[in-house]
Amino acid sequence: MKLGTKLTLFNAISKLVIVILFVLLLPVLIKNISRNYVDSQLIKQKNKLLQIVKSKGIETYIENGESYGSYLPLKEEYISLDEVDPDYYLDTIKRGKRLFSEGDTLEYRILSHTFKIKQKNYLLEIGKSVDTLDETSAPLQNIAFQVLLGMILLTVLADQVYSTYVLKPLRLIIKTKLVGQKFPNFHSYRKVRTTTSDFQHLDISIHNMIETIADKFHKEREFISNASHELMTPISILQSKIENMFEEEDINDDLKSRLLEMQRILNRLKSITKTLLLISQIENEQFLKEDTIQTAELLQEVYDEISIRLQDKDISYDMTVPHNWHFVNINKFLLFNLFFNLINNAIKYNNEGGSINITGVPVYDKYVISITDTGIGIDADVIPLIFNRFKKLRQALQQDSFGLGLPIVKSIALFHDIEIDVSSEKGKGTTFKLILPATLIIVN
């Protein structure tokens, strides 16, 4: 999963957790806010009434010692004022129930306050219906939830935009320095512009690492090329001398046997040197890609050259490749070598009486040519190493092979932008899938 996707998921999940917590806490918060608001309103009403009493006198409300009471038509608020015992004291705001003359009992948030006027003690009560408080809490909760939801969506959007902006240099580094590089031909260094010091450090570090790899690789490629060229001259001279010695008349059988052994070893050395030289030439891109040939025709040429080996092991060979497929923009010599090595391996590691199937199918915008054998198979832990020219595997040693066939296949495939997928089951066989881009095959 991409880093940007992970950050987006984290932001979305964290915001969702906040919403859930807020929804759970919202009723309690709104209830407290509403209660505090009502309490402040009750205190304001109390102060206002005491101011009236102070300026106009207690007689404004109490006449002839009769208590005062007033409430709204729906009884959502009420005010009462009554004389109480001189020692009675009360100054609270709390919930309580009140019974009205009609027999109705309602619950109120009640402010109770005693005060003295002209040496008489009075109790003031101002009440606001609890039902009224609950009625206002629900709309407040809805408004608060909608505001929160809007803010969450805005923050998610802002997080997405910001994370996209901040991670843009990282995507550029991956795209241009890693994915965009075609090993071993690395592009020249181009600094990724960013103000994030971590990405600057990453950009420089990857560049230094690529420079080191490229330098080592070029030295290795140069060494292989030079060594292959230099070795071919003494090999050719030795081969000529041995052939000349065979023409001498007084050569005895013992010497002839030794010369044959030397010639066999020399041929092996020559074959290895030629193979290394071929790999070096491919990697140095010394071949053109201008050939065009019918796909089935090229595979038939490979079959014609290798069919004698099929007969030796009684291996059946079946090819199902569309005849209207044509290779274009290829090097025929190299592609012939690619198929020759794969089919040769399919024969070499096959069982007596086995089979080889070659199929070609279009897959989306690409073309897949599969070479399947019924041979001994390859261990799963060995498959990642089979294209490594510096690894000589046990199977190659058992077949007296140089182990350079598949490295050549890999080099030719890279040269033509062909992907290779290998699947194998021990004891049942191996399939090499060549995934060719649409630029290499036309159908007509």
Side-chain angles (χ1 to χ4, degrees):
M1 186 181 291
K2 291 183 176 179
L3 179 60
T5 307
K6 284 187 175 181
L7 288 175
T8 302
L9 280 176
F10 173 77
N11 286 331
I13 292 172
S14 62
K15 300 297 186 299
L16 182 63
V17 171
I18 291 173
V19 169
I20 292 172
L21 288 175
F22 188 80
V23 168
L24 292 175
L25 295 174
L26 187 61
V28 179
L29 292 172
I30 292 295
K31 198 171 182 179
N32 287 332
I33 292 171
S34 180
R35 186 189 62 195
N36 292 333
Y37 174 76
V38 169
D39 288 354
S40 67
Q41 291 297 314
L42 291 174
I43 291 171
K44 284 181 181 177
Q45 286 180 275
K46 178 199 76 174
N47 293 334
K48 190 173 180 179
L49 189 140
L50 291 176
Q51 187 65 35
I52 293 172
V53 169
K54 185 178 179 181
S55 60
K56 296 183 178 179
I58 191 68
E59 293 79 11
T60 306
Y61 296 101
I62 295 180
E63 295 179 357
N64 302 322
E66 294 183 0
S67 58
Y68 171 81
S70 173
Y71 51 84
L72 295 179
L74 297 179
K75 302 181 181 63
E76 61 270 29
E77 287 185 19
Y78 81 93
I79 297 175
S80 69
L81 187 61
D82 198 3
E83 185 176 349
V84 293
D85 293 338
D87 298 330
Y88 187 72
Y89 175 79
L90 195 60
D91 191 10
T92 60
I93 301 177
K94 59 184 180 181
R95 291 172 76 118
K97 292 182 179 179
R98 290 294 181 268
L99 177 64
F100 291 88
S101 57
E102 293 86 352
D104 295 333
T105 300
L106 296 177
E107 190 168 13
Y108 289 89
R109 185 76 181 165
I110 303 170
L111 179 147
S112 302
H113 176 71
T114 54
F115 60 96
K116 293 183 182 298
I117 296 288
K118 296 178 182 178
Q119 298 182 350
K120 290 184 178 179
N121 198 20
Y122 295 94
L123 172 63
L124 169 65
E125 277 193 357
I126 304 174
K128 192 176 284 288
S129 172
V130 172
D131 292 339
T132 305
L133 301 182
D134 294 338
E135 288 173 1
T136 56
S137 295
L140 284 175
Q141 288 182 28
N142 288 333
I143 292 171
F145 181 73
Q146 290 173 8
V147 170
L148 174 71
L149 204 58
M151 291 177 66
I152 291 291
L153 290 176
L154 282 175
T155 54
V156 167
L157 184 63
D159 289 347
Q160 180 65 26
V161 172
Y162 183 70
S163 61
T164 302
Y165 169 74
V166 168
L167 294 177
K168 184 179 178 182
L170 180 61
R171 289 196 300 275
L172 278 176
I173 291 171
I174 294 172
K175 182 180 178 182
T176 59
K177 305 298 167 63
L178 298 175
V179 178
Q181 297 284 1
K182 185 180 178 182
F183 184 84
N185 300 313
F186 300 105
H187 301 153
S188 57
Y189 175 66
R190 183 175 295 176
K191 183 179 180 181
V192 173
R193 297 177 62 184
T194 175
T195 56
T196 306
S197 59
D198 294 335
F199 292 155
Q200 290 172 346
H201 181 68
L202 179 65
D203 185 32
I204 292 291
S205 299
I206 290 177
H207 169 64
N208 292 336
M209 182 184 68
I210 286 176
E211 268 198 339
T212 304
I213 293 172
D215 180 60
K216 300 294 183 189
F217 182 81
H218 287 310
K219 285 179 180 175
E220 175 217 321
R221 194 164 58 178
E222 187 178 351
F223 171 78
I224 292 174
S225 178
N226 293 338
S228 302
H229 277 106
E230 294 300 323
L231 283 172
M232 286 303 291
T233 302
I235 288 171
S236 298
I237 294 171
L238 281 173
Q239 199 167 28
S240 297
K241 287 188 175 182
I242 291 173
E243 287 171 357
N244 291 335
M245 290 177 74
F246 273 119
E247 294 174 359
E248 294 179 5
E249 294 180 355
D250 57 345
I251 185 169
N252 59 45
D253 290 343
D254 182 55
L255 181 58
K256 190 180 290 183
S257 174
R258 292 182 182 182
L259 287 173
L260 282 171
E261 179 65 18
M262 288 173 62
Q263 194 174 41
R264 191 178 66 82
I265 295 171
L266 205 58
N267 285 336
R268 282 172 55 85
L269 181 59
K270 189 176 181 180
S271 180
I272 293 172
T273 306
K274 277 186 174 179
T275 304
L276 290 173
L277 187 59
L278 177 62
I279 291 176
S280 173
Q281 288 173 331
I282 296 169
E283 291 175 345
N284 283 316
E285 299 191 349
Q286 294 177 350
F287 291 92
L288 297 176
K289 291 183 280 189
E290 297 178 338
D291 297 329
T292 300
I293 187 172
Q294 188 184 21
T295 306
E297 183 183 339
L298 180 67
L299 290 169
Q300 184 63 40
E301 288 183 12
V302 175
Y303 171 78
D304 292 342
E305 186 160 327
I306 212 166
S307 57
I308 188 66
R309 300 200 58 198
L310 291 166
Q311 295 170 13
D312 290 343
K313 295 184 75 170
D314 191 26
I315 294 172
S316 63
Y317 181 92
D318 183 58
M319 181 180 70
T320 311
V321 175
H323 284 272
N324 58 350
W325 283 17
H326 291 77
F327 286 125
V328 293
N329 304 318
I330 60 153
N331 184 286
K332 181 187 169 186
F333 168 75
L334 294 181
L335 221 54
F336 178 91
N337 270 279
L338 183 149
F339 284 109
F340 183 89
N341 277 293
L342 289 178
I343 297 171
N344 188 45
N345 278 353
I347 298 170
K348 191 184 298 182
Y349 300 107
N350 214 324
N351 299 310
E352 291 280 340
S355 65
I356 296 173
N357 288 304
I358 300 177
T359 58
V361 291
V363 178
Y364 300 110
D365 59 340
K366 297 186 177 180
Y367 300 89
V368 177
I369 297 178
S370 302
I371 300 167
T372 303
D373 65 61
T374 55
I376 59 177
I378 307 171
D379 289 328
D381 56 341
V382 174
I383 289 178
L385 307 174
I386 59 177
F387 294 110
N388 190 330
R389 78 182 67 160
F390 302 108
K391 293 280 185 183
K392 193 167 184 181
L393 306 176
R394 192 191 319 166
Q395 288 179 354
L397 290 170
Q398 289 171 349
Q399 293 289 333
D400 197 24
S401 168
F402 309 142
L404 291 173
L406 290 179
I408 288 177
V409 168
K410 185 69 174 179
S411 296
I412 296 172
L414 284 173
F415 183 67
H416 287 89
D417 294 324
I418 299 172
E419 299 174 45
I420 303 178
D421 179 68
V422 183
S423 59
S424 183
E425 190 172 350
K426 197 69 179 169
K428 291 191 175 180
T430 303
T431 297
F432 284 81
K433 284 185 180 178
L434 302 175
I435 305 165
L436 296 96
T439 53
L440 293 186
I441 285 188
I442 58 171
V443 180
N444 57 27

